[in-house]
Amino acid sequence: MSMQSLLTPKRTKGRWVSLDNFLYLICLYATILIGFGLIYIILDLNGHVVLIDETSFGGNNFLDRLASGFYFSAVTLFSLGYGDITPIGIGRMIAVAEALIGYVIPTAFVARVVFNIENKKEV
């Protein structure tokens, strides 16, 4: 629903870029980050190795694995990563999908704002 709200053309309070749009964007990013983080964690808990932590900080307990999964998800969503955690196996495809989504969302947001402004000028 948040993706639909982001892409649906709508003016808010007479402005094209509004606080509502940014809040939708933040909620959308948070939802995707948590979703992909849970995918990495669930796969790890089921015995599929999808992430290799190259640092000495990663532990074997659940909270360390949870933190690593969410950290990797955030770094992958907002950039292409730092290289301290490496995806392997099916984790590579999941990371590619997440990175693609991370790049498409801001593009869609900017395109929506520009498209709405252009349509306003024509009317």
Side-chain angles (χ1 to χ4, degrees):
M1 175 130 172
S2 57
M3 185 69 155
Q4 178 186 7
S5 298
L6 178 66
L7 298 176
T8 304
K10 168 179 102 168
R11 270 182 85 171
T12 305
K13 299 177 187 171
R15 293 176 286 170
W16 291 107
V17 179
S18 68
L19 180 62
D20 291 344
N21 286 341
F22 285 113
L23 290 176
Y24 284 131
L25 191 61
I26 290 169
C27 289
L28 180 62
Y29 269 123
T31 302
I32 293 169
L33 188 148
I34 291 168
F36 275 98
L38 289 175
I39 289 171
Y40 297 126
I41 293 164
I42 289 170
L43 287 172
D44 185 51
L45 290 175
N46 286 325
H48 302 284
V49 180
V50 291
L51 301 176
I52 297 175
D53 193 348
E54 300 291 334
T55 65
S56 60
F57 302 115
N60 290 330
N61 65 16
F62 177 74
L63 290 178
D64 289 338
R65 293 158 91 181
L66 184 72
S68 291
F70 285 134
Y71 166 77
F72 179 75
S73 179
V75 169
T76 303
L77 185 63
F78 296 121
S79 67
L80 284 179
Y82 293 124
D84 54 345
I85 299 178
T86 307
I88 60 169
I90 191 69
R92 288 181 177 183
M93 291 300 115
I94 297 169
V96 166
E98 185 177 10
L100 181 63
I101 290 170
Y103 282 112
V104 169
I105 290 172
T107 306
F109 181 74
V110 170
R112 175 184 170 202
V113 170
V114 169
F115 181 72
N116 287 341
I117 290 172
E118 290 297 321
N119 282 342
K120 176 67 177 166
K121 288 180 182 178
E122 291 176 7
V123 173

